[in-house]
Amino acid sequence: MEGKDEDVRVGANRYRERQAIGTAAQAEQDGKDYKEPPSAPLFEAGELSSWSFYRACIAEFVATFLFLYITVLTVMGVAKSSSKCNTVGVQGIAWAFGGMIFALVYCTAGISGGHINPAVTFGLFLARKLSLTRAVFYIMFQCLGAICGALVVKGFQPHQFERLGGAANSVSRTYSKGGGLGAEIVGTFVLVYTVFSATDAKRNARDSHVPILAPLPIGFAVFLVHLATIPVTGTGINPARSLGAALVYNKDQAWDDHWIFWVGPFIGAALAALYHQIVIRAIPFKSK
């Protein structure tokens, strides 16, 4: 029996893991080839004289413009049909939003980071991933892009745009404003938490495939959140998207609940940033 026990013990330890996994890998990586990047300065005046800064802003504008153009047209296509069987339905709307985010993040991540959403920009700013200067300009260009995207759709189909509500967000009559706010908070938390996890610099340093795959989980998170919250608020989780549709449609029903689509996403983004930085990465508790 002793010989058998020895065989089992030796056999179990004969072939060790070549690469540590899970928390073991994280512990192994600490103190080796990874160093925490410095926090972005609050103000960086030099950015305003840099072409790369304005190139990034333009990339955010174009990405948000394309995002609104495709998604608003998709929503209108579903809304105008008398039979939902003849349209892509709610699932198709969710795929349009998630798919566009996947494609646009992939295209613009190397230029601007591929935010395409003021809530994402706000969350990354709170985590000191970008300066206040860049955050403000990004949000401005995202909102301008969203407005222009909705304007182009209205220019193509002005009567249908007015008749179908312009894809403007509003809280469903079967839900309270508190329920709508909660849905926006949780939905944005899911999105921004996914953004932090998918773009984590430490994971990128350890796993070379992570940067390549980052747009996929982000787009998939947008898809899933839309499936869950379209019946509640039409799914905002992106203040620029909500502002663009509301401003171009410009009816009372688009403005009645509009505050929810700013307050909810910003709260959700702040909670996601705090959770990732304090709980997941434990950055405030790391020894200097």
Side-chain angles (χ1 to χ4, degrees):
M1 291 297 292
E2 280 187 19
K4 290 184 179 179
D5 290 343
E6 180 66 11
D7 289 342
V8 171
R9 186 184 66 78
V10 173
N13 294 277
R14 182 175 295 167
Y15 303 105
R16 296 184 178 276
E17 293 287 343
R18 294 187 180 184
Q19 181 177 355
I21 58 175
T23 55
Q26 184 172 349
E28 185 176 307
Q29 194 70 22
D30 286 343
K32 283 196 174 181
D33 60 339
Y34 177 78
K35 292 183 179 180
E36 197 70 44
S39 299
L42 190 60
F43 296 101
E44 194 166 1
E47 287 184 320
L48 297 177
S49 59
S50 168
W51 165 240
S52 64
F53 173 76
Y54 294 103
R55 187 169 65 109
C57 291
I58 293 169
E60 287 293 310
F61 171 87
V62 172
T64 317
F65 168 85
L66 295 174
F67 179 62
L68 263 288
Y69 175 76
I70 295 296
T71 54
V72 169
L73 276 177
T74 304
V75 172
M76 287 174 55
V78 173
K80 73 179 181 181
S81 177
S82 57
S83 173
K84 301 306 178 189
C85 296
N86 297 330
T87 69
V88 295
V90 171
Q91 293 86 352
I93 293 174
W95 274 120
F97 278 87
M100 280 303 290
I101 288 298
F102 167 71
L104 293 170
V105 170
Y106 178 83
C107 292
T108 60
I111 302 171
S112 66
H115 297 189
I116 322 169
N117 186 336
V120 171
T121 300
F122 180 66
L124 292 171
F125 164 71
L126 291 181
R128 301 295 301 278
K129 304 293 185 183
L130 70 163
S131 67
L132 178 62
T133 308
R134 186 173 291 262
V136 169
F137 272 78
Y138 272 20
I139 292 173
M140 288 170 51
F141 276 81
Q142 288 158 2
C143 291
L144 286 172
I147 293 167
C148 291
L151 276 171
V152 169
V153 175
K154 184 177 181 179
F156 286 163
Q157 305 178 23
H159 301 298
Q160 290 193 18
F161 188 91
E162 295 292 334
R163 182 171 63 87
L164 299 173
N169 289 117
S170 61
V171 178
S172 172
R173 295 178 182 177
T174 57
Y175 290 89
S176 66
K177 293 187 187 297
L181 179 63
E184 289 295 308
I185 291 172
V186 175
T188 311
F189 179 92
V190 171
L191 169 59
V192 178
Y193 176 43
T194 304
V195 170
F196 272 104
S197 298
T199 59
D200 191 303
K202 187 170 187 177
R203 293 183 65 194
N204 294 351
R206 187 174 67 239
D207 302 322
S208 61
H209 64 278
V210 170
I212 301 172
L213 296 178
L216 183 59
I218 295 171
F220 199 62
V222 172
F223 165 70
L224 293 174
V225 171
H226 275 76
L227 282 183
T229 58
I230 282 176
V232 185
T233 61
T235 309
I237 69 171
N238 184 334
R241 173 261 186 273
S242 300
L243 177 66
L247 192 64
V248 176
Y249 181 55
N250 200 27
K251 298 288 192 298
D252 288 343
Q253 66 191 69
W255 295 114
D256 288 344
D257 304 322
H258 187 70
W259 64 272
I260 290 174
F261 301 101
W262 283 87
V263 175
F266 273 49
I267 292 175
L271 292 174
L274 289 172
Y275 177 68
H276 184 267
Q277 296 295 95
I278 295 175
V279 178
I280 301 301
R281 292 297 308 280
I283 288 177
F285 309 106
K286 292 184 183 296
S287 58
K288 302 293 184 183

